[in-house]
Amino acid sequence: MNGTDGRGSLFGLLTVWSLTRLALLLFVFKVIVFPGPDVTSDVSYIYHGWYDVLGGGTFPQNDVTWQYPPAAALAILSPAVLPFLEYAQAFFVLAFLADFAVLAMLLFAGLRPGRTLRGAWVWVTGAALLGPTVYARYDVMVTAVAVAALLAGARRPRLMGALAGFGALLKVWPALLLVGCVRRRAWGAAALTAAGLAVVFTVAMPGAFAFLTFQRDRGTEVESLGSLVFHVARHHGWEGQVLLNYGSVEFLGPYVDVVSTAALALTGMALGWLLVWRLAAVRFTTTTLADAAFTAVLLFTTTSRVISPQYMVWLVGLAAVCLGYRESRMRLPGLLVVAASLVTVLEFPVWFAHVVASDALGVTLLVLRNGLLVVACVAAARELWRASASRAAGPPLPGRPTTARETPVGS
């Protein structure tokens, strides 16, 4: 990229980010009303209610909608740093700043030799397509931590591990960032950070791990892959219901437990595949860490009993890190995630009533969105295997024994 092209691309990127983020702020502050249900109500009522409980020195251990690890309390309490704003307003501003932090990190990485601004474009575009949900959930804050961890992984494995451990205590899934990591220092830092924070929260505030029981008892959410069984079954005499349950809209009734168990089995198979890949992998390059993390989170998200719209924020962030590398093989899966983001905002919140009603439009949107995620899973897993575990991946890096599991730049 020459200087003129680089400045032009950067100017265009910042312009698009500014315009789209202004639109998101106008939506969450209700200057402009976004179609569909009010996505900000979770912040105004649920998060704010948790804020009051957490401020009293305990976790919401009697509230089944609290389904998050203990460090999530930091995100819920964070609006206190802006006392001159109302709770929801402060939260939206902090979510905006987390979004900007992700952009800044991707720009800093993308302007380095061997990198590209393509990843920053993925973030700018993908997050914008998800609509106001991005600023109305704390997932953008977790994604900022995950992006920082992956970008630090090549040069600062201990920092990467500490951030992954902290992220895991925020929302569990950042633990998967370590799937492609070969530096023991990163694993050690992650374990120490997570264990240390767990001890602190357990001692300081009662109910730190009550969320584990609430997560265990969840059913099949109406936007998940497994929910398609019941969306179709409702048209053929299935006698179940769609109700607000454990903080999300879920299917309740005959055979729901079977489908939920099948979803857990799929997640177990995804874990098994990742273990097989890790054992078979012989070549770790500068992109392996990010590619493996993206693939792992994509697999676990797609097979989950719950695919809430905000989960797409994670995938867009990780795809952006991958595509920031010129040599990344995750271009197709990353673009599929961006396309799925557009369909996601249509199924929630724009036409969520159609999803709940299981009508033709709602089912079509879910088939399309979840289908894109399934294809992305297959493509990502295939590319990761070909790049590092198949014969086509080539021999281990020069100067390493045939059993080598790390590279000089360390993933």
Side-chain angles (χ1 to χ4, degrees):
M1 176 186 298
N2 61 45
T4 303
D5 292 341
R7 286 192 295 272
S9 178
L10 182 59
F11 176 78
L13 183 64
L14 293 175
T15 300
V16 174
W17 183 85
S18 299
L19 292 175
T20 55
R21 274 37 182 193
L22 174 61
L24 293 184
L25 287 172
L26 292 175
F27 290 140
V28 294
F29 279 99
K30 298 183 181 178
V31 177
I32 301 175
V33 178
F34 199 79
D38 180 12
V39 301
T40 67
S41 60
D42 278 19
V43 176
S44 300
Y45 299 103
I46 299 177
Y47 283 19
H48 199 178
W50 291 340
Y51 175 87
D52 293 336
V53 175
L54 292 165
T58 184
F59 284 91
Q61 53 188 325
N62 296 318
D63 184 350
V64 296
T65 62
W66 175 261
Q67 300 171 6
Y68 308 106
L74 301 178
I76 302 302
L77 292 170
S78 63
V81 304
L82 300 175
F84 48 88
L85 294 176
E86 295 180 1
Y87 179 86
Q89 294 174 338
F91 186 91
F92 300 146
V93 170
L94 292 173
F96 166 80
L97 293 176
D99 175 12
F100 178 75
V102 174
L103 175 68
M105 289 185 286
L106 292 170
L107 287 177
F108 180 78
L111 293 171
R112 293 172 57 189
R115 302 289 186 92
T116 172
L117 291 178
R118 186 174 57 213
W121 275 110
V122 167
W123 175 251
V124 170
T125 305
L129 289 176
L130 289 170
T133 301
V134 175
Y135 289 173
R137 304 291 187 272
Y138 84 92
D139 296 81
V140 67
M141 302 174 185
V142 185
T143 301
V145 174
V147 169
L150 287 178
L151 293 177
R155 297 175 181 271
R156 298 181 179 180
R158 287 194 180 91
L159 176 58
M160 185 263 181
L163 289 170
F166 174 56
L169 265 290
L170 276 171
K171 207 162 188 181
V172 181
W173 68 264
L176 295 171
L177 301 180
L178 297 168
V179 166
C181 184
V182 293
R183 295 291 184 90
R184 293 181 180 178
R185 287 173 291 175
W187 284 88
L192 287 174
T193 301
L197 286 173
V199 169
V200 168
F201 280 110
T202 300
V203 172
M205 300 173 67
F209 290 93
F211 79 98
L212 293 173
T213 298
F214 302 151
Q215 280 286 357
R216 180 193 64 196
D217 294 336
R218 293 194 73 160
T220 296
E221 190 254 352
V222 296
E223 298 163 273
S224 66
L225 184 62
S227 74
L228 290 171
V229 173
F230 300 111
H231 282 293
V232 174
R234 292 177 79 184
H235 296 279
H236 297 279
W238 182 69
E239 298 178 351
Q241 296 177 294
V242 177
L243 296 173
L244 182 64
N245 186 53
Y246 286 95
S248 65
V249 181
E250 298 180 352
F251 281 112
L252 299 175
Y255 306 109
V256 170
D257 57 337
V258 175
V259 172
S260 295
T261 301
L264 290 174
L266 281 176
T267 301
M269 292 171 64
L271 175 60
W273 183 89
L274 288 168
L275 289 174
V276 171
W277 166 78
R278 186 54 194 265
L279 292 172
V282 294
R283 181 174 177 82
F284 290 80
T285 69
T286 54
T287 68
T288 305
L289 176 64
D291 291 350
F294 171 62
T295 302
V297 176
L298 180 60
L299 288 170
F300 276 73
T301 300
T302 304
T303 60
S304 173
R305 292 175 293 173
V306 179
I307 306 181
S308 295
Q310 61 267 27
Y311 292 8
M312 296 299 299
V313 180
W314 320 339
L315 299 178
V316 171
L318 298 185
V321 175
C322 291
L323 270 66
Y325 292 95
R326 293 185 183 276
E327 63 271 28
S328 174
R329 302 180 65 154
M330 294 295 151
R331 183 177 299 185
L332 175 59
L335 294 178
L336 289 171
V337 164
V338 173
S341 298
L342 173 59
V343 184
T344 296
V345 78
L346 295 178
E347 62 91 359
F348 183 91
V350 176
W351 287 317
F352 190 60
H354 293 275
V355 172
V356 173
S358 301
D359 65 18
L361 176 58
V363 174
T364 298
L365 288 172
L366 284 183
V367 168
L368 183 55
R369 196 280 302 273
N370 292 344
L372 286 168
L373 291 180
V374 170
V375 174
C377 284
V378 174
R382 181 185 61 188
E383 292 300 332
L384 182 63
W385 186 274
R386 287 180 174 178
S388 54
S390 71
R391 293 181 180 179
L397 294 182
R400 298 283 181 174
T402 56
T403 56
R405 286 288 188 271
E406 64 179 329
T407 70
V409 291
S411 294

